[in-house]
Amino acid sequence: NPVEICMLKSGVMLFAEGPLLDGLYWDKWHNNATLTPQNKSYIYYENLLLGVAQIRQLKVRNNSCAIYPYFHTFIEDCYSDYHYRAEDRSDFGLGNGSEWKYTSASSLSPWYWGSMSLYNNGGYMFTLPRSKQESMEKLAFLRQNSWLTRGTRVVFIDFSTYNANLNLFCVIKLVAEFPATGGALTSSHIYSVKLLRYVTYYDYFLASCEIIFCLFIITFIIQEAIKMVKLKKEYFRSAWNWLELLLLGTSVLAIAFNIYRTVEVSLLMEELLSDDHVYPDFYFLAFWQVRYNNMVAINVFFAWIKIFKYVNFNKTMTQLSSTLSRCAKDLTGFAIIFFTIFFAYAQLGYLAFGSQAEEFSSFQNCIFTQFRIVLGDFNFHTIESANRVLGPIYFITFVFFVFFVLLVGTILKYLPFCLSSREELWHSAVRQCFSPQGGSGLALAAPQHTWAERQSEPFCRSSQRARHCAALPSSKQPRKGLLDHKTSTLHLSLC
């Protein structure tokens, strides 16, 4: 029947009955000797299968999309892409088990962000038995009774293992997505996390370091609170203070998650040891453990950035910070111009090549692809094969305008600044050269002698700059901004 053909085409049930069961249930050694203890599976002989595996699917309702009137006589059913409002939660099939009835998962469980959509954490789910033979019979029964339907949009296979040699939990999620276009997209996510933190002596040493870190954070919070009360509104006007608050916030979250994870793993372990015929949901902890690791990475990054706050005594760092602060407005204006052109080309690439090239299949992919073009990591034949005329035009003009704005725009932006600085330097040198105080004339607001007096012989002798005065023009005092650059270069070198 059509449903059976759809199931065979996807291959999910065939995979579950074959390679999946062979990989999950390792009950014999290489010499066919039975593994001990009984009813325990050691994947690759080292990784203990915790509990049992769980299989879950999400479906969409029939007629969840509109059919054009011309095709009503040919097409009766319509199943849209997966989204939360189109999800099917009604009972189907035999309707006498959890695999036929919709189950709402815990609100704390994270949703899954797949290749096609963002999927809910509920669905039609069941667990596999402990033995391989019983699991094979159950999967064959579901296949014969059409557990997978045309409305199925995603199937999840979840299980967890533990390796005592490394004290690591491995949480595995195998995913098969079924887009509305047909076919299947498969992916896998493997999280190797250390949930049992304190086992060896080194772990206890890390525990003592964590306690010291908590005491430091408490002291840091008190210090920042006193500083905030003292400065009031002035406290929030410094970027360094905002960085301090960011570090405090991420540190407090890290401490809270560490405490929660330790308690939750202990409770989950007790539940697992009491009944090994249930699926232990370690995915929730593994998911947030990975997010916790990312948060710690960001926290450490900003902690290193904070070092710049305490190296202002260095002349180079002071110049760098002052330069960045003065150029902030100019850099912002230049970034607006650059990204306006950049996003315009991203939209062009998405609309022109999105249906032909994977690199331009979404607006986000276009942005990353264009960054790759700027770095030189791009396959030109991809867009050339997508459109032989528009593809080369897009590529050439993008490279030209981006580098034109990036390089030439920067030069044109700072060239007047360089020229004005040169002229200002010349005026300062002239004031110093003609100052009767020798080298202190830079700070004078107005000359103490007229131009004619400075050209006179007594003044030149008294100031001991006769050779300098001889090189000066004798006609009249040049106006500011109209200096002869050749003469200025000579005077500057003499001074």
Side-chain angles (χ1 to χ4, degrees):
N1 54 55
V3 176
E4 186 74 9
I5 295 175
C6 179
M7 291 167 54
L8 293 175
K9 183 179 180 180
S10 66
V12 172
M13 298 303 289
L14 296 178
F15 167 79
E17 295 180 40
L20 177 64
L21 296 183
D22 294 338
L24 285 179
Y25 298 99
W26 290 54
D27 51 3
K28 293 183 180 299
W29 286 99
H30 55 84
N31 58 355
N32 290 329
T34 303
L35 286 172
T36 56
Q38 296 292 337
N39 297 326
K40 297 291 183 181
S41 176
Y42 287 88
I43 301 175
Y44 288 104
Y45 305 114
E46 298 292 348
N47 305 280
L48 174 64
L49 178 64
L50 301 177
V52 293
Q54 175 184 269
I55 300 179
R56 174 171 63 99
Q57 74 157 322
L58 291 173
K59 303 169 51 180
V60 294
R61 298 187 306 271
N62 189 11
N63 298 324
S64 54
C65 53
I67 302 176
Y68 200 75
Y70 291 165
F71 294 94
H72 280 171
T73 56
F74 306 102
I75 302 175
E76 298 179 357
D77 301 328
C78 182
Y79 298 88
S80 68
D81 286 326
Y82 177 85
H83 53 89
Y84 187 74
R85 290 178 295 178
E87 187 177 358
D88 188 4
R89 297 181 178 86
S90 60
D91 299 345
F92 75 105
L94 302 180
N96 56 355
S98 61
E99 59 267 30
W100 310 103
K101 296 182 179 180
Y102 186 86
T103 303
S104 298
S106 172
S107 58
L108 296 178
S109 298
W111 287 29
Y112 178 78
W113 188 7
S115 302
M116 302 301 300
S117 181
L118 182 65
Y119 298 102
N120 185 17
N121 49 21
Y124 305 88
M125 61 187 68
F126 66 93
T127 56
L128 296 177
R130 290 292 306 173
S131 67
K132 180 178 181 179
Q133 184 61 32
E134 293 178 359
S135 299
M136 188 177 298
E137 293 175 358
K138 186 176 185 63
L139 291 173
F141 172 77
L142 294 176
R143 176 171 55 83
Q144 293 171 3
N145 289 276
S146 302
W147 186 66
L148 293 181
T149 65
R150 283 188 60 189
T152 301
R153 285 293 172 258
V154 63
V155 175
F156 300 98
I157 301 175
D158 300 284
F159 59 95
S160 303
T161 64
Y162 175 70
N163 190 307
N165 303 330
L166 303 174
N167 188 26
L168 285 179
F169 287 84
C170 192
V171 182
I172 297 96
K173 180 181 288 292
L174 307 179
V175 185
E177 299 178 70
F178 304 96
T181 56
L185 298 176
T186 59
S187 59
S188 62
H189 295 269
I190 302 175
Y191 302 100
S192 297
V193 293
K194 187 176 183 179
L195 299 179
L196 298 176
R197 301 287 295 177
Y198 313 112
V199 178
T200 63
Y201 290 109
Y202 180 73
D203 293 336
Y204 287 109
F205 168 74
L206 293 180
S208 63
C209 295
E210 292 173 354
I211 295 175
I212 296 174
F213 176 77
C214 293
L215 296 176
F216 173 78
I217 292 300
I218 294 174
T219 306
F220 197 19
I221 291 175
I222 297 174
Q223 177 184 352
E224 290 300 314
I226 296 174
K227 186 177 179 181
M228 192 179 302
V229 172
K230 183 179 179 180
L231 298 178
K232 297 181 179 179
K233 293 182 179 180
E234 294 294 331
Y235 177 87
F236 298 98
R237 295 182 179 179
S238 174
W240 293 114
N241 293 336
W242 283 103
L243 180 59
E244 303 283 6
L245 294 178
L246 177 62
L247 292 175
L248 282 178
T250 53
S251 300
V252 170
L253 288 177
I255 294 172
F257 181 81
N258 259 325
I259 297 174
Y260 172 78
R261 176 192 55 196
T262 303
V263 175
E264 190 69 18
V265 169
S266 301
L267 297 177
L268 193 58
M269 283 298 159
E270 294 180 1
E271 180 182 352
L272 175 62
L273 294 176
S274 61
D275 186 5
D276 58 355
H277 291 81
V278 299
Y279 165 68
D281 191 6
F282 284 101
Y283 178 73
F284 168 73
L285 291 175
F287 177 85
W288 288 112
Q289 175 68 34
V290 173
R291 300 303 176 273
Y292 163 77
N293 294 339
N294 297 338
M295 181 181 62
V296 170
I298 296 174
N299 196 9
V300 173
F301 170 78
F302 283 114
W304 278 99
I305 296 298
K306 186 181 174 182
I307 295 178
F308 288 108
K309 180 180 179 181
Y310 303 104
V311 293
N312 288 334
F313 60 87
N314 184 274
K315 182 179 179 181
T316 303
M317 298 306 302
T318 303
Q319 292 177 347
L320 176 62
S321 59
S322 61
T323 302
L324 292 177
S325 61
R326 292 179 181 179
C327 297
K329 293 183 179 180
D330 294 333
L331 291 177
T332 302
F334 173 74
I336 294 175
I337 298 174
F338 174 78
F339 283 106
T340 299
I341 299 176
F342 191 85
F343 289 133
Y345 271 96
Q347 190 69 47
L348 172 63
Y350 171 64
L351 296 177
F353 318 116
S355 60
Q356 302 293 328
E358 183 180 359
E359 290 84 351
F360 297 89
S361 58
S362 64
F363 187 74
Q364 295 84 351
N365 290 346
C366 291
I367 294 176
F368 289 111
T369 300
Q370 290 186 164
F371 278 118
R372 290 176 56 191
I373 293 176
V374 172
L375 297 176
D377 179 22
F378 181 70
N379 186 6
F380 172 74
H381 298 289
T382 302
I383 57 175
E384 185 182 26
S385 59
N387 193 313
R388 290 185 297 178
V389 177
L390 192 57
I393 294 176
Y394 161 84
F395 181 80
I396 295 174
T397 56
F398 172 76
V399 173
F400 173 77
F401 282 111
V402 166
F403 281 95
F404 180 80
V405 173
L406 185 63
L407 299 179
V408 180
T410 305
I411 295 174
L412 294 178
K413 176 67 180 177
Y414 291 101
L415 184 58
F417 172 77
C418 297
L419 295 178
S420 62
S421 299
R422 180 184 177 185
E423 187 172 341
E424 183 180 356
L425 181 62
W426 154 240
H427 284 289
S428 299
V430 169
R431 288 196 299 269
Q432 182 182 13
C433 207
F434 291 137
S435 173
Q437 285 84 4
S440 61
L442 286 171
L444 296 178
Q448 297 182 358
H449 299 272
T450 63
W451 186 264
E453 293 175 348
R454 291 178 182 229
Q455 289 183 349
S456 64
E457 184 177 356
F459 177 82
C460 291
R461 285 199 302 267
S462 62
S463 61
Q464 297 180 359
R465 290 184 173 86
R467 63 183 185 279
H468 300 173
C469 297
L472 292 174
S474 58
S475 57
K476 61 180 180 179
Q477 178 181 1
R479 289 179 297 172
K480 184 178 180 180
L482 298 177
L483 296 174
D484 184 358
H485 286 288
K486 293 184 178 180
T487 307
S488 67
T489 304
L490 175 60
H491 292 173
L492 186 60
S493 63
L494 292 175
C495 292

